[in-house]
Amino acid sequence: MTDSQQEEKVIQLIDLHHFIECYDRKIIILNYLHHSINIIEDHGIRKGILFYDLKHSSPLDLNANEDFKRKNNLKELWFVFVEEDTGSSSHRNYTDFISENSIDIYYDRIFKFSFFQSIIHLLS
């Protein structure tokens, strides 16, 4: 694993732990190492969570994510926009990104997570 990939994994793990801490501490992490989608168990149901930063993330491969969902027997996929600083992106930026990339078709729940304010908003 390259230094850049290791850094991405560390950030992914930090986002995942802080999200769980803010959303529901009863969520169990099953796997986060082998894919950009984190596998969790939420009230006995296997789900996947993808964290995405509008400013720093690479293009999405939605078909690969759907395939990942099927292969890992996930009942839901969650898409989480991670926002590091308040007001960095407007609500319109998120809604435009969701519609332009058909996020709402592939993901069951869409959140905006203000990391440093520890606030989670359900967008869809």
PDB file of all heavy atoms in Angstrom, residues 1-10 33-34:
ATOM      1  N   MET A   1       0.847  -1.175   0.000  1.00  0.00           N
ATOM      2  CA  MET A   1       0.000   0.000   0.000  1.00  0.00           C
ATOM      3  C   MET A   1       0.899   1.247   0.000  1.00  0.00           C
ATOM      4  O   MET A   1       1.827   1.340   0.792  1.00  0.00           O
ATOM      5  CB  MET A   1      -0.905  -0.030   1.244  1.00  0.00           C
ATOM      6  CG  MET A   1      -2.061   0.924   1.173  1.00  0.00           C
ATOM      7  SD  MET A   1      -3.151   0.876   2.629  1.00  0.00           S
ATOM      8  CE  MET A   1      -4.123  -0.569   2.327  1.00  0.00           C
ATOM      9  N   THR A   2       0.600   2.186  -0.882  1.00  0.00           N
ATOM     10  CA  THR A   2       1.412   3.401  -0.954  1.00  0.00           C
ATOM     11  C   THR A   2       1.122   4.312   0.241  1.00  0.00           C
ATOM     12  O   THR A   2       0.129   4.134   0.952  1.00  0.00           O
ATOM     13  CB  THR A   2       1.109   4.179  -2.247  1.00  0.00           C
ATOM     14  OG1 THR A   2      -0.220   4.688  -2.180  1.00  0.00           O
ATOM     15  CG2 THR A   2       1.293   3.313  -3.486  1.00  0.00           C
ATOM     16  N   ASP A   3       1.981   5.298   0.433  1.00  0.00           N
ATOM     17  CA  ASP A   3       1.765   6.261   1.516  1.00  0.00           C
ATOM     18  C   ASP A   3       0.435   6.974   1.354  1.00  0.00           C
ATOM     19  O   ASP A   3      -0.283   7.196   2.333  1.00  0.00           O
ATOM     20  CB  ASP A   3       2.899   7.290   1.556  1.00  0.00           C
ATOM     21  CG  ASP A   3       4.205   6.704   2.070  1.00  0.00           C
ATOM     22  OD1 ASP A   3       4.179   5.592   2.658  1.00  0.00           O
ATOM     23  OD2 ASP A   3       5.255   7.350   1.889  1.00  0.00           O
ATOM     24  N   SER A   4       0.102   7.328   0.140  1.00  0.00           N
ATOM     25  CA  SER A   4      -1.165   8.020  -0.143  1.00  0.00           C
ATOM     26  C   SER A   4      -2.361   7.129   0.191  1.00  0.00           C
ATOM     27  O   SER A   4      -3.344   7.584   0.788  1.00  0.00           O
ATOM     28  CB  SER A   4      -1.206   8.434  -1.609  1.00  0.00           C
ATOM     29  OG  SER A   4      -2.435   8.998  -1.938  1.00  0.00           O
ATOM     30  N   GLN A   5      -2.296   5.867  -0.182  1.00  0.00           N
ATOM     31  CA  GLN A   5      -3.376   4.929   0.114  1.00  0.00           C
ATOM     32  C   GLN A   5      -3.504   4.708   1.621  1.00  0.00           C
ATOM     33  O   GLN A   5      -4.615   4.602   2.142  1.00  0.00           O
ATOM     34  CB  GLN A   5      -3.131   3.598  -0.597  1.00  0.00           C
ATOM     35  CG  GLN A   5      -3.312   3.678  -2.090  1.00  0.00           C
ATOM     36  CD  GLN A   5      -2.851   2.406  -2.777  1.00  0.00           C
ATOM     37  OE1 GLN A   5      -1.845   1.783  -2.402  1.00  0.00           O
ATOM     38  NE2 GLN A   5      -3.578   2.010  -3.818  1.00  0.00           N
ATOM     39  N   GLN A   6      -2.356   4.627   2.317  1.00  0.00           N
ATOM     40  CA  GLN A   6      -2.392   4.469   3.770  1.00  0.00           C
ATOM     41  C   GLN A   6      -3.039   5.681   4.426  1.00  0.00           C
ATOM     42  O   GLN A   6      -3.844   5.543   5.349  1.00  0.00           O
ATOM     43  CB  GLN A   6      -0.982   4.263   4.316  1.00  0.00           C
ATOM     44  CG  GLN A   6      -0.416   2.901   4.017  1.00  0.00           C
ATOM     45  CD  GLN A   6       1.013   2.739   4.528  1.00  0.00           C
ATOM     46  OE1 GLN A   6       1.660   3.696   4.918  1.00  0.00           O
ATOM     47  NE2 GLN A   6       1.495   1.510   4.499  1.00  0.00           N
ATOM     48  N   GLU A   7      -2.712   6.855   3.934  1.00  0.00           N
ATOM     49  CA  GLU A   7      -3.310   8.082   4.476  1.00  0.00           C
ATOM     50  C   GLU A   7      -4.821   8.094   4.252  1.00  0.00           C
ATOM     51  O   GLU A   7      -5.582   8.452   5.150  1.00  0.00           O
ATOM     52  CB  GLU A   7      -2.670   9.302   3.818  1.00  0.00           C
ATOM     53  CG  GLU A   7      -3.193  10.618   4.356  1.00  0.00           C
ATOM     54  CD  GLU A   7      -2.547  11.825   3.708  1.00  0.00           C
ATOM     55  OE1 GLU A   7      -1.444  11.707   3.138  1.00  0.00           O
ATOM     56  OE2 GLU A   7      -3.169  12.893   3.772  1.00  0.00           O
ATOM     57  N   GLU A   8      -5.273   7.680   3.063  1.00  0.00           N
ATOM     58  CA  GLU A   8      -6.713   7.612   2.770  1.00  0.00           C
ATOM     59  C   GLU A   8      -7.417   6.648   3.715  1.00  0.00           C
ATOM     60  O   GLU A   8      -8.518   6.926   4.187  1.00  0.00           O
ATOM     61  CB  GLU A   8      -6.937   7.183   1.321  1.00  0.00           C
ATOM     62  CG  GLU A   8      -6.683   8.276   0.318  1.00  0.00           C
ATOM     63  CD  GLU A   8      -6.945   7.806  -1.102  1.00  0.00           C
ATOM     64  OE1 GLU A   8      -7.888   7.013  -1.317  1.00  0.00           O
ATOM     65  OE2 GLU A   8      -6.203   8.238  -1.995  1.00  0.00           O
ATOM     66  N   LYS A   9      -6.791   5.506   3.996  1.00  0.00           N
ATOM     67  CA  LYS A   9      -7.392   4.517   4.899  1.00  0.00           C
ATOM     68  C   LYS A   9      -7.500   5.061   6.326  1.00  0.00           C
ATOM     69  O   LYS A   9      -8.481   4.831   7.006  1.00  0.00           O
ATOM     70  CB  LYS A   9      -6.603   3.203   4.890  1.00  0.00           C
ATOM     71  CG  LYS A   9      -6.876   2.362   3.694  1.00  0.00           C
ATOM     72  CD  LYS A   9      -8.316   1.903   3.705  1.00  0.00           C
ATOM     73  CE  LYS A   9      -8.725   1.285   2.409  1.00  0.00           C
ATOM     74  NZ  LYS A   9     -10.165   1.047   2.334  1.00  0.00           N
ATOM     75  N   VAL A  10      -6.488   5.776   6.766  1.00  0.00           N
ATOM     76  CA  VAL A  10      -6.517   6.370   8.109  1.00  0.00           C
ATOM     77  C   VAL A  10      -7.654   7.387   8.197  1.00  0.00           C
ATOM     78  O   VAL A  10      -8.428   7.393   9.157  1.00  0.00           O
ATOM     79  CB  VAL A  10      -5.156   7.006   8.473  1.00  0.00           C
ATOM     80  CG1 VAL A  10      -5.262   7.854   9.735  1.00  0.00           C
ATOM     81  CG2 VAL A  10      -4.100   5.929   8.644  1.00  0.00           C
ATOM     82  N   LEU A  33     -11.030  -2.178   5.639  1.00  0.00           N
ATOM     83  CA  LEU A  33      -9.692  -2.212   5.040  1.00  0.00           C
ATOM     84  C   LEU A  33      -9.652  -2.419   3.533  1.00  0.00           C
ATOM     85  O   LEU A  33      -8.817  -1.861   2.852  1.00  0.00           O
ATOM     86  CB  LEU A  33      -8.858  -3.319   5.687  1.00  0.00           C
ATOM     87  CG  LEU A  33      -8.269  -3.000   7.050  1.00  0.00           C
ATOM     88  CD1 LEU A  33      -7.552  -4.209   7.602  1.00  0.00           C
ATOM     89  CD2 LEU A  33      -7.342  -1.807   6.971  1.00  0.00           C
ATOM     90  N   HIS A  34     -10.532  -3.225   2.999  1.00  0.00           N
ATOM     91  CA  HIS A  34     -10.356  -3.717   1.635  1.00  0.00           C
ATOM     92  C   HIS A  34     -11.123  -2.962   0.557  1.00  0.00           C
ATOM     93  O   HIS A  34     -11.032  -3.310  -0.621  1.00  0.00           O
ATOM     94  CB  HIS A  34     -10.714  -5.202   1.574  1.00  0.00           C
ATOM     95  CG  HIS A  34      -9.925  -6.007   2.561  1.00  0.00           C
ATOM     96  ND1 HIS A  34      -8.567  -6.198   2.448  1.00  0.00           N
ATOM     97  CD2 HIS A  34     -10.288  -6.643   3.693  1.00  0.00           C
ATOM     98  CE1 HIS A  34      -8.128  -6.926   3.467  1.00  0.00           C
ATOM     99  NE2 HIS A  34      -9.153  -7.204   4.242  1.00  0.00           N
TER     100      HIS A  34
END
